[in-house]
Amino acid sequence: MDFSFTEKEEQFRQELRTWLAANLPDGWLQGNVQLDKESKAYELFLRDWQKKLYEGGWAAIAWPKEYGGRNATLMEEIVYQQEMVRVKAPPLINYVGLHMVAPTLMQIGSQQQKDKYIEKIITGEEVWCQGYSEPNAGSDVAAIQTTAVKDGDRWIINGQKVWTSFGHVADRCFLITRTSRLEKKHKGITVFLLDMHQPGVETRPIVSMDGQKDFNEVYLNDAVAYDAEIIGQVDEGWNVIIALLMHERTGIGGQVFTLEQQFHDLVALAKDLNDDDEPLIKNPFIRKTMVDLYTRSRGSLLNYYRNLTKQLKNGHPGAESSMDKLLVSELTKELFAQAISMQGHHGILWKENALIDRSYWQDNYLYSFGQTIGGGTSEIQKNTIAERILGLPKDMGR
Ligand SMILES: Cc1cc2nc3c(=O)[nH]c(=O)nc-3n(C[C@H](O)[C@H](O)[C@H](O)COP(=O)(O)OP(=O)(O)OC[C@H]3O[C@@H](n4cnc5c(N)ncnc54)[C@H](O)[C@@H]3O)c2cc1C
């Protein structure tokens, strides 16, 4: 497929550029917006940014127009991602709602659920989190032990979730529970659209090694949900779980554009840093590593385009998104490791002591380890590629 952009797509790019120039938060492009990520002010800043995107018609461009989207084509989505990465736009506080929950609701939610939740997701009024992982259920999601027991038209939920990103700011949770113990563990699971603002729900932050409190433990002690908050059928939630995961993996593949931008940043760093009064970029060993990183980043971009071509033909994403996720997350880790290594002994300085870019490289290096785990670990992606793309025998462990 030809991936050059048409005149119409370039016009679309121009429209977005103009909007971004007028609407990015003051001082954003100059790197002057420095908010404490743990503060309420940062949460409000991100909520405000999503509201602005919504008002400008840029919050969920791929959605149908009836839900506030633009019915954007896949090519327009690529343009959108390239432009957002170019200006290093503020992150989406409601990423889970916009890219995972709402598309699943559109696919399998009841009309009443679509009416109740989707608009509040796109406006940013309600932020969502994903309650899948538990202390003993991660890669093996079906091993969940959180229970929901019927009590009239209510369900009483008890258990614990872990690694819940955005849990501390979320208004609702896409929560998976065990409602029956049947022969097959993929049966007997029910998915709830849980209200997080109730006495039975407690979130406790987990501090990750980069010092951030991005994710949480969520304790459910007699939390209450209602029949109307079940998505799909009681005991038949496995298909709902998979539907959401497909949307999650597709979104992650788009990080290939972030990787491209980060590679350009790395080249700029290699030009800035000196070794024996010569810019590092002239050092043959550095050049060799940079060429290697460039070749593989470029390869993952082309692979992403190849998978996209297949998606355009089939009309839906396939197991190939596992390839994108694996390649991009592993390369991102290598890229930031290279940046730290190029800084020599300054590489271990962090936060306010960092000498370069306010510890941008250190923060992202530490964060990159999580990227190879969240959304399914690299080993699980390899299993998917082996079984569903290469047609190899099934993983013996399952
Ligand atoms: C940044 C980040 C954000 C996250 N956000 C969320 C969130 O919002 N909501 C949520 O529910 N969860 C979230 N998670 C949790 C994430 O989904 C799990 O950590 C992940 O699925 C792995 O599960 P686990 O941690 O239980 O590890 P385990 O599944 O116990 O795996 C441990 C190790 O064993 C390997 N392994 C496991 N099974 C196999 C196998 N069959 N074959 C080969 N190797 C195997 C794994 O690759 C890993 O190396 C997040 C995690 C991170 C890092």
Side-chain angles (χ1 to χ4, degrees), residues 28-45:
W28 183 259
L29 283 174
Q30 299 71 31
N32 293 338
V33 181
Q34 297 293 326
L35 290 166
D36 172 7
K37 290 198 175 151
E38 310 310 330
S39 65
K40 187 74 187 166
Y42 186 61
E43 182 196 330
L44 295 177
F45 169 80

Side-chain angles (χ1 to χ4, degrees), residues 11 25 28 35 77 81 183 232 239 245 259 263 266 280 298 350:
Q11 271 171 11
W28 183 259
L35 290 166
E77 279 190 81
Q81 284 173 346
E183 244 168 68
N239 292 340
L245 283 179
L259 178 68
F263 180 78
L266 185 72
L280 270 188
R298 193 76 197 152
W350 192 36

Side-chain angles (χ1 to χ4, degrees), residues 130-133 137-140 162-165 215 370 373-377 379-380 383 395 398:
Q130 175 197 18
Y132 277 27
S133 305
S139 304
D140 184 8
V162 72
W163 315 121
T164 318
S165 307
F215 41 44
I373 301 171
T377 67
E379 290 75 20
I380 295 301
N383 280 347
D395 171 20
R398 281 184 283 157

Side-chain angles (χ1 to χ4, degrees), residues 319-357:
E320 288 76 13
S321 57
S322 284
M323 260 200 262
D324 297 323
K325 206 263 166 180
L326 175 70
L327 290 171
V328 172
S329 59
E330 291 292 341
L331 267 167
T332 301
K333 200 160 73 177
E334 280 188 56
L335 186 145
F336 283 101
Q338 171 67 6
I340 299 295
S341 151
M342 286 186 337
Q343 292 175 39
H345 54 275
H346 291 159
I348 58 167
L349 296 175
W350 192 36
K351 301 276 180 211
E352 60 277 9
N353 296 320
L355 291 189
I356 298 163
D357 293 340

